[in-house]
């Protein structure tokens, strides 16, 4: 039988087109389900998260900014969703595009119980954002006393520094977070540590007119 190259080429092209269409549809379906999982986790919809995981949705799927379902749930403080995602083998140390982890989000928001769950599951206690801020620094800036105490009890480095020499105590002093300052001092923060420009926590608190914070630092021996 005589072969017709033109017909064969058309058939080949059709097969390629069909495969590409199937791939595009499958990718779109998967992408929709993955974004739905992240949305459900962030809104605390436990039943939907469970159903989507059961249907095979990728537990570690990421949104455009790198947010995962675990990061979204941790940010919102949904402990039950966090537990479910962890049991489904969610990447506990996954990061967003700016280096934020689930533990950082929970710590910054003050979700102390979620912080404990993540630490127990092996979250990186001393991880840093792209700008160098540690989990403890982020909690300190927001004045999350309970979280600070939990992080310190777990072994967080209370005197870790940014590239400019700033510590968590200095960051708390800058925004007048007196409760955070007390928690850090109890955790043996160096009250007279100096940044690269020579500034101490007391100097910073005084500069920004946080008198109560300055008084607490003075009581702790700040000079």
């Amino acid at each position: 039988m005589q072969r017709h190259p033109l017909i064969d080429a058309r058939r080949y092209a059709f097969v390629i087109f069909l495969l590409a269409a199937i791939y595009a549809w499958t990718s779109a379906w998967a992408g929709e389900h993955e974004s739905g999982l992240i949305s459900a986790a962030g809104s605390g919809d436990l039943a939907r998260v469970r159903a989507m995981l059961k249907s095979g949705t990728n537990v570690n799927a990421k949104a455009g900014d790198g947010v995962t379902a675990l990061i979204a749930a941790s940010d919102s403080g949904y402990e039950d969703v966090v537990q479910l995602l962890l049991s489904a083998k969610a990447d506990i140390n996954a990061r967003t595009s700016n280096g934020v982890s689930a533990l950082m989000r929970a710590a910054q928001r003050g979700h102390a119980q979620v912080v404990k769950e993540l630490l127990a599951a092996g979250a990186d206690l001393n991880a840093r954002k792209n700008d160098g801020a540690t989990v403890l620094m982020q909690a300190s800036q927001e004045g999350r006393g309970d979280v600070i105490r939990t992080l310190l009890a777990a072994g967080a480095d209370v005197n870790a520094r940014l590239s400019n020499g700033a510590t968590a105590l200095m960051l708390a002093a800058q925004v007048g977070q007196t409760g955070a300052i007390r928690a850090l001092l109890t955790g043996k923060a160096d009250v007279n540590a100096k940044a690269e420009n020579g500034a101490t926590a007391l100097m910073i608190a005084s500069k920004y007119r946080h008198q109560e914070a300055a008084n607490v630092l003075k009581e702790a021996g700040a000079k």
Side-chain angles (χ1 to χ4, degrees):
M1 180 181 294
Q2 185 178 358
R3 295 176 63 85
H4 296 280
L6 181 58
I7 294 176
D8 288 344
R10 287 175 177 172
R11 287 175 177 169
Y12 177 75
F14 176 74
V15 170
I16 294 300
F17 170 79
L18 185 60
L19 290 173
I22 292 173
Y23 175 78
W25 180 85
T26 303
S27 297
W29 179 88
E32 181 179 350
H33 275 245
E34 290 170 352
S35 62
L37 176 65
I38 296 168
S39 175
S43 61
D45 192 339
L46 182 64
R48 188 179 176 204
V49 171
R50 182 179 287 113
M52 296 189 80
L53 291 175
K54 189 174 181 179
S55 72
T57 304
N58 181 9
V59 69
N60 290 314
K62 291 189 173 187
D65 57 0
V67 170
T68 64
L70 182 60
I71 293 173
S74 299
D75 180 70
S76 299
Y78 293 115
E79 184 185 350
D80 52 355
V81 178
V82 168
Q83 291 173 339
L84 176 60
L85 292 167
L86 289 174
S87 69
K89 309 301 181 185
D91 182 355
I92 197 167
N93 290 311
R95 305 289 193 94
T96 65
S97 54
N98 63 351
V100 174
S101 66
L103 181 60
M104 291 179 191
R105 282 286 174 86
Q108 189 176 41
R109 301 298 188 193
H111 303 310
Q113 193 56 44
V114 173
V115 167
K116 291 177 182 178
E117 290 282 349
L118 293 169
L119 288 173
D124 186 352
L125 178 62
N126 289 307
R128 293 176 181 259
K129 285 175 58 180
N130 293 352
D131 63 7
T134 65
V135 183
L136 183 64
M137 289 175 182
Q138 293 170 67
S140 299
Q141 284 181 304
E142 298 298 328
R144 310 301 187 185
D146 288 344
V147 172
I148 291 169
R149 284 184 281 273
T150 296
L151 293 172
L152 291 175
D157 183 357
V158 72
N159 291 311
R161 294 174 179 264
L162 293 175
S163 59
N164 63 2
T167 64
L169 186 64
M170 294 176 196
L171 296 177
Q174 185 175 21
V175 287
Q177 297 288 8
T178 306
I181 290 171
R182 291 184 188 278
L184 291 166
L185 290 172
T186 299
K188 308 301 181 184
D190 183 353
V191 71
N192 288 310
K194 294 183 178 181
E196 286 189 351
N197 63 2
T200 64
L202 177 58
M203 291 177 186
I204 294 169
S206 299
K207 175 182 178 180
Y208 290 97
R209 300 182 181 181
H210 299 306
Q211 191 56 52
E212 184 180 358
N215 290 339
V216 170
L217 291 165
K218 288 177 181 177
E219 291 170 4
K223 301 175 181 179

